[in-house]
Amino acid sequence: MRSIIVRRCFMGTLLALLLASIPCSVGAWEMDLHAHMLWHYEWYAQTSSKGFFGPYNVDNGGGTRVGNFNFWNGGQFDTNISTSAKAGWSYFEVEFEPTFQLNPAMRLNAKYRLASYGEPVSEDYLTQNSPGINTAMSDGQWTLFWATVQTPWGQFVLGKRPWAFGLGVQYDGGDLGSSSATTESMLINVPFGPLDFGLAYYPFRFAGTSSIQLIADELGDPYNLPEYLRASGAVVPGQYYSRADGGGTFSKDVLGFVRYMNGPLHMGILGTYGSYHIGPEALIDDPNDPLVTRLVPQDSEIVHGSVFAKYFNGRFFINGEAAWVYWTDRWHADPNQAVGFPNPRYIEQWRYAMEWGWLMGPAKLTLLQFWSPGPDRRNGTLIDKQPAVFVRHPNYDRTLGNHVLFKPYSWLIARDYGAGLNAYSLSGWGYMRDAFVLAGRLDYAVAANLNVCLSYVRAERTSNGYSWGCIGPNAGLGAFPGTPDGNIDLNLNRYPASPNIPDGSLGWEIMGRIDWALLEQWLFTVNVAYWQPGEWFSYACIDRSVPGWETGTPANFFGTRPTKKIDPVIGGEFLLRFDF
């Protein structure tokens, strides 16, 4: 109780001092607006009928009916699988990014976008989704809004805003059009010569799902808390039933960073710490529908951060970043016990990236090396200490994506297929999990308004900790019990009796792109990519031509055909951008 009182007094004193330092005279304010409209036509195709899940139009499962689940088209469409070897759609997006300058010391920034009506999570308006002059195509969405105040001590920032740091290995909020990371903490940023010191704090953050049901349904529980079964078969999340409950909030939630910027060198370090407790009193135990098991008390601690350096002398640049996540979940069978059942679970994740480049007249060459860990699976068991967040907390991992880092290099492996592991950020864009990546890109400015580029990516798994047959279509039977809906089911340890996947190759991708400024504020872009999937997918993806594929055993290679060849995938986009 004393710590709560002290914390509230500290926050009240800080706010009072900040408000006292703000000039009282407001006067007239100004508005600056940046906006754009983007029209997209996006398409994907497999070059022949040797699909990820075996030959097209074949299903030798025992009672399954998924013979028309042919082309795994990635994760950008309404379903992961289509019947034909082609998939595509067209859509457009409109975004406004206003800045309101209230006075020399205060400004407001925001992002407002038009999207599909009634869809609050990263949905663009699909062509002909709302025909008719008076049919609403969008209800409009304020996705960001924050205030910045210049005080005598530094900048005070409050509200929902992008979260960018380093190269984007873990915090990729720097590009408002394609990034996803945000923060809503209270921040004070104090400059001191070439240094910036930042301290941020959340006075309240609920450890559980969003209270907006549409968002909760789409994004799920960001902390992947255990779920508990009622007698009726209903499942309830292991979180406090009241989102205002002081017991259900983070008890500690702080962030600090230091940045150095001087001449050609830019570097920094960031760290954040949070902890929460879920007690046995959190759930409502309805006598008409009692819980099958009581909630097991849980204590969790999360520590993550990043260190980076960038150097650019006008011709040569080199950038590097290392990012980490440490996460501990402890359960208590008895509130007085230090350790209870189930056993504590630990995550110690590190990601690394290095980027080099040279500018040579109208040409620019960029090279990228990236490493990210995967699951640790031993004797058919995912052990309690994991090197990758997505093994235990895949929803939280989505908040730490790296789409912006890979956007210049990969259209298919990263953006569309999410590394083959459902790695999609909160904005829906794919990123890389469990991969060692080597990539290169060559840009050439043919003219002041015309740029062409060519990129190449080769990727390998860093971990072999996956069951054979870990990826397949929802079939409603056997080890794939999900309702057949044209989507894939990913289960890292689907068959504990299966050996680990011995081949880590994800294949290679080549991408070409043209950016042509037809007029001053009108950009035309063509992007085409070709990907040859690697042998890892032959083990990971079931093969529907295998008899009884939906129930894997050693006799049927756990529903896979390890020697199968998967035909290449091609894809691309035509884009028209209007800036105003």
Side-chain angles (χ1 to χ4, degrees), residues 7-81:
R7 189 170 69 224
R8 289 177 177 172
C9 290
F10 170 76
M11 292 309 303
T13 303
L14 177 61
L15 284 173
L17 289 171
L18 288 169
L19 291 173
S21 67
I22 297 171
C24 295
S25 173
V26 175
W29 55 271
E30 300 176 355
M31 176 178 150
D32 183 32
L33 178 64
H34 297 277
H36 62 254
M37 173 182 174
L38 280 72
W39 181 91
H40 307 253
Y41 171 61
E42 201 170 311
W43 57 275
Y44 303 90
Q46 199 149 27
T47 57
S48 191
S49 60
K50 297 175 184 176
F52 288 91
F53 307 125
Y56 283 16
N57 303 315
V58 174
D59 181 10
N60 290 333
T64 56
R65 293 181 173 85
V66 297
N68 59 340
F69 289 1
N70 289 322
F71 174 38
W72 180 15
N73 56 48
Q76 296 303 313
F77 301 128
D78 54 344
T79 63
N80 302 136
I81 307 171

Side-chain angles (χ1 to χ4, degrees), residues 279-332:
E281 74 283 358
L283 300 182
I284 297 175
D285 198 357
D286 184 354
N288 297 314
D289 191 10
L291 295 165
V292 175
T293 59
R294 304 284 298 179
L295 184 145
V296 180
Q298 175 183 348
D299 289 289
S300 296
E301 292 181 312
I302 311 169
V303 178
H304 56 86
S306 167
V307 58
F308 77 93
K310 298 180 179 181
Y311 175 84
F312 179 48
N313 66 5
R315 180 174 295 275
F316 169 76
F317 63 88
I318 180 170
N319 306 321
E321 181 178 359
W324 62 87
V325 180
Y326 284 75
W327 191 318
T328 301
D329 294 312
R330 295 186 178 92
W331 287 270
H332 308 270

Side-chain angles (χ1 to χ4, degrees), residues 503-522:
D503 196 313
S505 174
L506 300 179
W508 56 270
E509 175 184 348
I510 188 169
M511 178 178 73
R513 180 185 176 102
I514 298 174
D515 293 295
W516 185 11
L518 300 174
L519 294 174
E520 184 177 351
Q521 294 174 299
W522 183 21

Side-chain angles (χ1 to χ4, degrees), residues 30 56 105 113 156 173 196 205 242 271 287 300 345 352 481 554 567:
E30 300 176 355
Y56 283 16
R113 70 191 299 267
F156 174 67
D196 268 347
R205 179 159 50 159
S242 171
S300 296
R345 298 191 307 199
Y352 309 94
D567 284 325

Side-chain angles (χ1 to χ4, degrees), residues 84-113:
S84 71
K86 297 179 181 180
W89 57 16
S90 67
Y91 59 95
F92 73 83
E93 54 184 304
V94 181
E95 296 184 351
F96 301 87
E97 297 168 13
T99 298
F100 305 95
Q101 192 72 46
L102 305 184
N103 61 38
M106 299 172 59
R107 73 172 186 270
L108 303 174
N109 293 84
K111 178 179 176 180
Y112 182 83
R113 70 191 299 267

Side-chain angles (χ1 to χ4, degrees), residues 336-355:
N336 297 316
Q337 284 185 246
V339 178
F341 179 83
N343 293 324
R345 298 191 307 199
Y346 307 95
I347 293 169
E348 295 184 8
Q349 172 178 286
W350 282 85
R351 293 172 175 168
Y352 309 94
M354 288 288 294
E355 197 172 32

Side-chain angles (χ1 to χ4, degrees), residues 66-401:
V66 297
N68 59 340
F69 289 1
N70 289 322
F71 174 38
W72 180 15
N73 56 48
Q76 296 303 313
F77 301 128
D78 54 344
T79 63
N80 302 136
I81 307 171
S82 52
T83 62
S84 71
K86 297 179 181 180
W89 57 16
S90 67
Y91 59 95
F92 73 83
E93 54 184 304
V94 181
E95 296 184 351
F96 301 87
E97 297 168 13
T99 298
F100 305 95
Q101 192 72 46
L102 305 184
N103 61 38
M106 299 172 59
R107 73 172 186 270
L108 303 174
N109 293 84
K111 178 179 176 180
Y112 182 83
R113 70 191 299 267
L114 303 183
S116 287
Y117 190 87
E119 295 286 350
V121 182
S122 304
E123 289 290 338
D124 298 308
Y125 175 71
L126 302 179
T127 301
Q128 284 295 107
N129 234 17
S130 302
I133 290 176
N134 293 321
T135 304
M137 66 179 188
S138 175
D139 41 1
Q141 300 170 347
W142 290 99
T143 63
L144 298 172
F145 206 105
W146 73 97
T148 304
V149 182
Q150 187 66 49
T151 75
W153 308 321
Q155 282 189 336
F156 174 67
V157 189
L158 184 68
K160 184 183 177 185
R161 57 196 184 276
W163 186 8
F165 199 79
L167 282 68
V169 169
Q170 194 154 271
Y171 314 114
D172 72 342
D175 182 347
L176 295 190
S178 58
S179 58
S180 64
T182 59
T183 180
E184 299 178 44
S185 59
M186 301 169 59
L187 168 67
I188 182 72
N189 183 24
V190 180
F192 186 77
L195 295 171
D196 268 347
F197 296 92
L199 179 64
Y201 176 71
Y202 277 92
F204 184 93
R205 179 159 50 159
F206 181 66
T209 59
S210 170
S211 63
I212 305 171
Q213 194 58 49
L214 288 173
I215 293 178
D217 292 343
E218 180 71 21
L219 300 182
D221 171 14
Y223 307 103
N224 295 99
L225 298 172
E227 296 181 328
Y228 292 87
L229 186 68
R230 294 194 181 276
S232 65
V235 175
V236 293
Q239 65 186 38
Y240 280 82
Y241 64 84
S242 171
R243 287 178 172 80
D245 197 317
T249 183
F250 276 71
S251 58
K252 301 177 184 66
D253 205 348
V254 295
L255 176 149
F257 66 82
V258 178
R259 288 182 301 202
Y260 174 85
M261 292 170 282
N262 190 13
L265 184 62
H266 180 196
M267 54 197 303
I269 184 169
L270 175 148
T272 178
Y273 174 83
S275 65
Y276 58 87
H277 168 77
I278 310 293
E281 74 283 358
L283 300 182
I284 297 175
D285 198 357
D286 184 354
N288 297 314
D289 191 10
L291 295 165
V292 175
T293 59
R294 304 284 298 179
L295 184 145
V296 180
Q298 175 183 348
D299 289 289
S300 296
E301 292 181 312
I302 311 169
V303 178
H304 56 86
S306 167
V307 58
F308 77 93
K310 298 180 179 181
Y311 175 84
F312 179 48
N313 66 5
R315 180 174 295 275
F316 169 76
F317 63 88
I318 180 170
N319 306 321
E321 181 178 359
W324 62 87
V325 180
Y326 284 75
W327 191 318
T328 301
D329 294 312
R330 295 186 178 92
W331 287 270
H332 308 270
D334 184 297
N336 297 316
Q337 284 185 246
V339 178
F341 179 83
N343 293 324
R345 298 191 307 199
Y346 307 95
I347 293 169
E348 295 184 8
Q349 172 178 286
W350 282 85
R351 293 172 175 168
Y352 309 94
M354 288 288 294
E355 197 172 32
W356 305 263
W358 296 265
L359 278 67
M360 301 163 284
K364 176 184 176 183
L365 176 65
T366 310
L367 303 175
L368 173 71
Q369 178 178 321
F370 173 83
W371 190 93
S372 180
D376 191 340
R377 179 177 184 265
R378 306 180 189 182
N379 298 317
T381 300
L382 293 169
I383 67 171
D384 59 355
K385 187 175 183 179
Q386 287 291 326
V389 172
F390 73 87
V391 178
R392 303 297 188 194
H393 299 279
N395 291 343
Y396 194 85
D397 189 72
R398 297 181 65 186
T399 69
L400 304 175

